[in-house]
Amino acid sequence: MNIEFDFGAVLAEWPLLLRGVAWTIGLTAVGTVLGMIVGTFCAWARSGGPRWLRLIVGTYVELIRNTPFIVQLFFIFFGLPAAGVKLSPEVASVIAMVMNLGAYSTEIIRAGIEATPKGQIEAAVSLALSKAQVFLRVVLPPALKKVWPAMVSQIIIVMLGSAVCGQISTEELSYAANLIQSRNFRAFEAFIVATLIYLALSVALRRLLDWAGPKFFFGR
Amino acid sequence: MTDFSLWDILRNLLMALRWTVVLSLIAFVGGGIVGALLLFLRMRGGKIANKAVGLYVQLFQGTPLLMQLFLAYFGIALFGIDVSAWTAASVALTLYTSAFLTEIWRGCVASIPKGQWEASGSLALSFGEQMRHVILPQAVKIAIAPTVGFLVQVIKGTALASVIGFVELTKAGSMISNATFKPFVVFSCVALLYFVLCFPVSLYAKNLERKTHGRRA
């Protein structure tokens, strides 16, 4: 048996790969920022909001957490146009990623919020801080600090999940790999290269977030 | 064109749901066996084996499942073996599941206090006896909740097998939606079926977790 690899043919298409990487990073960045904002809001709603809001957020979280990402993506991209909402693949991908990370980060952040000692909140209230101030300055930072490792893992999972977005022809990394293998028939090599790039991205992303969390969100 | 009623759509999806369940079970059982072997290797195989298993885990946790499926599909074919979507999906999902389970279980074994090892060691129990009589009974109790929780991830993971042409729930949904021009209804039903499959498992896992934590507190 003689298996020959030709990685050169794949690497020669580096502009495509680079574009794919850029898209993957872009999708992840937007998805992470917006997803965490959604997650923070929902976590607040779920732990301190009115009852009807809790019910809505709870349903959203359970629905997302118990269905596959690819189905959510297909529903948004293929399903919604039938209901009159037409979206480009890129927008559909971002919405799916934001909704997905939003649901998971809701639970993660909520766990942190509920671990806040009551005395902290009482102390803050007695200093005449408003409700919003108490949440944003007293409750949220230590909550984020506590759950940051879980948050980082979830963001990486969402980044890896974005590979699926190629299926609706968003031009991210896995889409590039697919395009390359359809041009030169080097499928195995193309996917190995893409997989290794994903691995490098996930290692780099973990490093970046481990550094950025304490620096920007909750201090040392 | 024959008209598809909602019932027709649901019936066809339900038929496909079988394969989602079967593939999940293959992945879970296969992954459990491979995962247990890897865990054993990690604990008894010395430094190199420990490193190798660690690398294996990182490889699977740090790359998209979709890529793993493609690599299995095209990788097995490289050896001149004719791969069906069945084989590729089973292999990829089994390896993926094993990586996560071995890591989850390692954490559970590691959470058993050192004194238990020392005490059982001082009773002249061998490694096998220590595991069987002292460590595993405690570790298994801790491991059940996260293991059941991970089952949900496996079920959701099987949806990706649709991409390499495995006709399970998601693929069937795409096909039916193409045939009926009712993507909104079809994908709603697909999502609902996944939910019906996964939500009870999630709830069960949550319950188990509450129980284990309650017992410890």
Side-chain angles (χ1 to χ4, degrees):
Chain A
M1 188 164 37
N2 194 9
I3 300 173
E4 276 177 31
F5 291 114
D6 185 2
F7 285 101
V10 175
L11 295 174
E13 304 272 10
W14 63 269
L16 266 177
L17 286 171
L18 205 63
R19 236 174 92 86
V21 169
W23 265 107
T24 295
I25 293 175
L27 284 176
T28 308
V30 178
T32 301
V33 172
L34 296 182
M36 277 189 60
I37 292 174
V38 171
T40 306
F41 173 76
C42 291
W44 165 79
R46 229 185 162 183
S47 58
R51 209 187 162 140
W52 58 271
L53 196 59
R54 274 187 216 195
L55 205 71
I56 294 174
V57 171
T59 313
Y60 154 70
V61 168
E62 293 304 339
L63 267 180
I64 297 289
R65 278 160 52 103
N66 287 298
T67 51
F69 178 67
I70 190 171
V71 174
Q72 294 158 16
L73 191 69
F74 282 0
F75 179 79
I76 291 171
F77 187 66
F78 297 118
L80 286 187
V85 187
K86 264 212 154 71
L87 299 164
S88 70
E90 292 79 15
V91 175
S93 302
V94 167
I95 293 178
M97 286 172 77
V98 169
M99 283 181 52
N100 199 275
L101 183 63
Y104 281 95
S105 60
T106 296
E107 284 305 274
I108 294 172
I109 296 172
R110 189 174 71 132
I113 289 176
E114 282 174 1
T116 312
K118 260 210 170 125
Q120 295 260 327
I121 299 168
E122 286 164 1
V125 171
S126 73
L127 288 172
L129 295 184
S130 73
K131 249 189 161 174
Q133 279 174 321
V134 171
F135 183 73
L136 289 175
R137 295 181 174 266
V138 180
V139 177
L140 195 56
L144 275 179
K145 187 177 186 172
K146 257 177 229 139
V147 298
W148 193 244
M151 199 70 220
V152 171
S153 297
Q154 194 58 47
I155 292 170
I156 289 170
I157 290 173
V158 169
M159 189 268 282
L160 298 175
S162 75
V164 176
C165 298
Q167 296 302 314
I168 59 168
S169 68
T170 301
E171 296 174 22
E172 44 72 54
L173 183 51
S174 76
Y175 182 87
N178 242 321
L179 197 61
I180 291 171
Q181 67 105 359
S182 70
R183 283 185 183 179
N184 59 19
F185 304 109
R186 290 291 173 183
F188 189 69
E189 290 93 324
F191 289 120
I192 279 275
V193 169
T195 305
L196 289 178
I197 296 176
Y198 273 114
L199 188 63
L201 280 177
S202 73
V203 171
L205 185 58
R206 187 177 290 279
R207 289 240 170 116
L208 176 76
L209 291 172
D210 282 346
W211 166 81
K215 189 148 177 117
F216 298 114
F217 294 130
F218 39 79
R220 287 259 170 219
Chain B
M1 196 182 96
T2 45
D3 225 23
F4 270 79
S5 69
L6 185 63
W7 168 239
D8 289 326
I9 292 173
L10 256 179
R11 201 190 52 207
N12 280 299
L13 287 178
L14 278 172
M15 304 276 269
L17 185 70
R18 282 184 305 179
W19 303 122
T20 290
V21 173
V22 171
L23 189 58
S24 303
L25 286 178
I26 291 176
F28 200 63
V29 173
I33 294 168
V34 178
L37 288 174
L38 286 173
L39 180 66
F40 181 75
L41 195 68
R42 197 167 196 176
M43 296 180 65
R44 290 299 281 176
K47 252 189 189 156
I48 297 170
N50 187 19
K51 272 248 168 75
V53 176
L55 202 69
Y56 174 90
V57 170
Q58 201 184 5
L59 216 59
F60 281 93
Q61 292 193 342
T63 59
L65 176 58
L66 186 68
M67 293 292 110
Q68 295 162 21
L69 277 161
F70 277 134
L71 283 177
Y73 193 59
F74 293 108
I76 302 173
L78 277 187
F79 293 95
I81 301 165
D82 199 19
V83 253
S84 63
W86 260 107
T87 328
S90 305
V91 169
L93 280 164
T94 296
L95 296 181
Y96 169 83
T97 308
S98 74
F100 279 83
L101 284 182
T102 196
E103 189 67 5
I104 291 172
W105 292 344
R106 187 179 70 103
C108 296
V109 171
S111 74
I112 304 299
K114 237 187 168 170
Q116 298 279 332
W117 284 100
E118 290 165 354
S120 53
S122 72
L123 290 172
L125 297 185
S126 69
F127 174 76
E129 288 168 334
Q130 277 179 307
M131 281 306 262
R132 199 173 48 195
H133 298 300
V134 181
I135 305 299
L136 277 187
Q138 301 180 71
V140 165
K141 249 182 219 165
I142 305 171
I144 287 175
T147 305
V148 173
F150 184 69
L151 179 57
V152 177
Q153 307 297 325
V154 176
I155 297 173
K156 292 193 294 178
T158 60
L160 291 181
S162 62
V163 175
I164 56 169
F166 185 96
V167 184
E168 38 65 80
L169 186 50
T170 307
K171 180 77 183 172
S174 298
M175 284 156 49
I176 296 170
S177 131
N178 287 339
T180 59
F181 300 111
K182 285 180 185 163
F184 188 82
V185 180
V186 173
F187 284 116
S188 300
C189 290
V190 171
L192 196 72
L193 286 177
Y194 274 110
F195 186 77
V196 168
L197 201 60
C198 293
F199 189 56
V201 182
S202 291
L203 276 186
Y204 184 55
K206 215 182 251 177
N207 253 336
L208 284 171
E209 207 163 312
R210 206 171 293 137
K211 261 189 215 157
T212 21
H213 281 289
R215 215 181 293 141
R216 252 185 279 160

